[in-house]
Amino acid sequence: MDLVAEEPNSVIDIRKNRIRSNLLLHLYQSGDTSINRMARLFHASIPSATGIVNDLIREGWITETGTGPARAGRPPVLYGLNAKKYLTLIMDINRHDTQLVIFDLHNQLVVKRKVDIRLDDSANFLEILFAATDDFLKSNNISLGKLWGIGVSMPGLINTSKGINLTYLNLTPPGVPLVTYLKNHFQLPVCLFNDTKATTIGEHRFGFAVEKSQVLTINIDWGVGLGIIINGEVFNGASGFAGELGHIQVKPDGMLCHCGKVGCLDTITSAIALIRQAKEGIHSGRATILTQIVNNDLNLLETSHIIEAVHAGDEFSIDLLSKVGTELGKGLATAVHLFNPEVIIVGGLLAEAGPFISNPIEQAINKYCLSDFKNPLSIHISKLGAKARLLGTQAHLFEHLIQKEFP
């Protein structure tokens, strides 16, 4: 008898939790709304929607934010997500440095710190990261109790469901998933996400891909990654590895890639490849202002210096980026034929070169794509820049934690 009596309640609770989680996701993604609109969006009665709102107010999830425009009579009361309910910690890890960022639930930056910790496939990396993070939180008076969870974005072959990064297996003891290791240290929920997919979600939620259904994002960083949105959803593939554009072979007789293959796109178009090509050109006698920028010490040469020289009109640097853009465009032309996107968004370190990188990409796509594929296609430099990756990691973390909060 007890089981029979409990079943309807469990069904009601499941439906109520689904409405709660959908409502909080809607407020996170779209902003304030009224009870009447909530009821319409989630197919609930006004009394049910009112009850759920009152529950969420008591629990500190939402607050009254003001009134909206009225068609007739009293203006509707608006409700929004309580930004101060929790803070989140985002770890943005790459081969050049690491960013530690605290957001509130309105995606407002609370505090951030860039630390000189470069991703390295050894156990020592995490110990250094833990020490830097603990100091970051302590110096900003942020206790772990204030944090809802931690989002981690990094390069590599990441299986999000298993919490592992197959490219960097030596970060943790054998058999211990990276997410488990991080959870054990911080005693908080942790989401691990590939950096390019994080960027893609950021663009889809907050950038040029908003309300777009078929999108490619190209992340030109220390490696080259492709983010894919099909029918409005990020495409992950069977294991979460989809989009490794940088490891398609483009030069069978080319250089050895760090992945162990020969002639990958990464070897001629990544930030690392660009710096190598610049040094080779300088050693061969090419005239350039890059030597002045780095005071004749080529060991100091970074992509930022090359982009600075490009904007200053340096012919050698412009040629370098033009060649990189052309090769990227050839690779993207294949992706365009496979996925037929409506928009391509260019992001990552080299996107800071603006039209000096996007124009040769577009010209190569025009040259190597069938004409019918180009008609609906537009190409944009990301307006969010590096923030797309941070916001995408935050959005992924929020959506994951809401589902856990209201199962």
Side-chain angles (χ1 to χ4, degrees), residues 289-303:
I289 64 171
L290 286 174
T291 50
Q292 299 172 27
I293 292 175
V294 297
N295 294 319
N296 293 310
D297 186 354
L298 292 185
N299 292 322
L300 300 177
L301 187 63
E302 300 280 2
T303 55

Side-chain angles (χ1 to χ4, degrees), residues 13-34 37-44 49 52-53 56 61-62 79-81 148 398-407:
D13 289 342
I14 289 170
R15 183 171 186 272
K16 183 182 287 187
N17 279 345
R18 187 178 297 120
I19 293 174
R20 283 176 164 204
S21 63
N22 288 339
L23 170 58
L24 292 173
L25 283 171
H26 175 77
L27 294 176
Y28 174 73
Q29 294 169 2
S30 304
D32 302 349
T33 192
S34 66
R37 179 161 171 73
M38 291 178 207
R40 291 196 303 273
L41 283 172
F42 305 115
H43 307 290
I52 289 171
V53 167
L56 291 173
W61 283 104
I62 65 177
Y79 298 90
L81 195 63
W148 192 19
F398 185 97
E399 291 159 15
H400 171 78
L401 293 177
I402 280 294
Q403 290 174 359
K404 289 188 65 175
E405 196 83 33
F406 301 104

